[in-house]
Amino acid sequence: MREFLKSTRFKIMLSFLAFLVGIMIYAVTKGGYSVSSVSFINTMTKPVRKVTNGISMKFERNVDKFNKADEYYEENQRLKAELGELNKKLTNYDALVAECEELRKFVSIKEEHEDYILSVPCKILGYVTNDPFRSFTIDKGSEDGIKPNCPVVTAEGLVGITIEVSKHVTTVRSILSPDLSIAAVCSSSSADTGIIEGGVVAAEEGLTRLIHVSPAHQLKEGDLMITAGSSGMFPKDYPIGKIKSIGYDSNGLSVTAMIEPCTDITRLTSVIVITDFSGKREDD
């Protein structure tokens, strides 16, 4: 407001207003005051009145904001708190929905495989640092019935095997690792078999390999590889992954297929451990 009073625009308006007042005084003293002169003056002063009314309303609003500043601040803080509480409830709701969906998937495993003894759902605590094969730890251990060499799965497929077990934490070696070998068979052709075994190059792309494939194979891209169950380490017929490509090993002599796991090993959030199943090997 102070800047407006000092501005050139205000000075011009003030001069124009003084001019109009002078005309009014002149008209009255000369006896020429009439409806027409009033109309003329009203017309001439209309822009000034419009500006002054706007200034008055703006001033009143500023005064209102100043007088009610504390009230507005408290209202703003209350709304912020309510918004934060609503966002918290929404986050909890989304987490609950995701958890229910995971539980539903795990229940389906038990329904399809009645001989399985399953652990409670396990959350992923994190991946092992500097491990290119994506070993990870889970928040369950021996207190939950988990032992070494137990298959670790999701509803979609096999993801690894337990290797180190403490009371409340377990380390899992993933199927991307070359230290884990799994006898596998094609779901559509029982004659086509091989060994699932990871490799450095394949692991970089989140893939594993099928090696020791017969040159007379009938495998094709998109075929699903499942566990053969012959070693007693893994249950029979559990999904592992689909064939992404078929070629030859680096020596050019043996057939090798790249396998895309049914479950993205690099983005796990929860898994379940199969602690016992029909045909499980008793010795570890």
Side-chain angles (χ1 to χ4, degrees), residues 27-28 31 188:
V28 171
S188 60

Side-chain angles (χ1 to χ4, degrees), residues 76-283:
N76 185 47
Q77 293 300 109
R78 183 182 66 80
L79 291 175
K80 282 184 177 180
E82 290 181 359
L83 181 60
E85 188 64 25
L86 289 174
N87 287 334
K88 183 179 179 180
K89 289 181 178 179
L90 181 60
T91 300
N92 292 338
Y93 172 77
D94 290 340
L96 184 60
V97 170
E99 185 175 351
C100 288
E101 180 62 21
E102 287 294 328
L103 289 174
R104 185 190 66 78
K105 291 180 179 179
F106 291 142
V107 168
S108 69
I109 297 177
K110 185 63 177 178
E111 290 176 347
E112 295 177 10
H113 307 278
E114 295 181 357
D115 61 308
Y116 289 5
I117 303 299
L118 306 176
S119 72
V120 295
C122 310
K123 292 187 180 299
I124 307 301
L125 296 177
Y127 288 93
V128 177
T129 306
N130 298 326
D131 180 10
F133 307 111
R134 310 298 287 179
S135 295
F136 57 91
T137 55
I138 55 177
D139 65 346
K140 299 293 183 293
S142 59
E143 291 287 314
D144 305 286
I146 297 174
K147 300 177 181 180
N149 299 321
C150 288
V152 181
V153 302
T154 66
E156 290 77 23
L158 180 70
V159 297
I161 194 169
T162 58
I163 53 174
E164 296 179 3
V165 182
S166 63
K167 284 187 177 181
H168 303 292
V169 176
T170 298
T171 301
V172 178
R173 176 176 291 148
S174 81
I175 60 174
L176 304 184
S177 173
D179 295 325
L180 179 58
S181 298
I182 308 166
V185 61
C186 180
S187 62
S188 60
S189 174
S190 59
D192 289 317
T193 61
I195 300 296
I196 297 290
E197 189 176 283
V200 175
V201 177
E204 290 178 353
E205 300 178 14
L207 305 175
T208 187
R209 304 177 303 159
L210 178 67
I211 60 176
H212 301 311
V213 178
S214 169
H217 73 87
Q218 296 182 359
L219 296 172
K220 59 183 182 299
E221 293 182 12
D223 280 348
L224 175 66
M225 300 304 298
I226 59 178
T227 54
S230 56
S231 67
M233 294 280 290
F234 300 93
K236 187 178 180 181
D237 297 339
Y238 208 87
I240 302 174
K242 292 184 177 181
I243 296 178
K244 186 173 183 181
S245 63
I246 303 174
Y248 286 91
D249 205 345
S250 56
N251 57 24
L253 299 176
S254 58
V255 177
T256 301
M258 301 302 289
I259 305 296
E260 183 176 28
C262 292
T263 300
D264 187 349
I265 307 298
T266 66
R267 296 190 178 187
L268 294 172
T269 56
S270 60
V271 295
I272 202 163
V273 179
I274 304 176
T275 58
D276 197 9
F277 56 89
S278 177
K280 178 178 173 63
R281 192 178 69 189
E282 294 298 330
D283 62 305

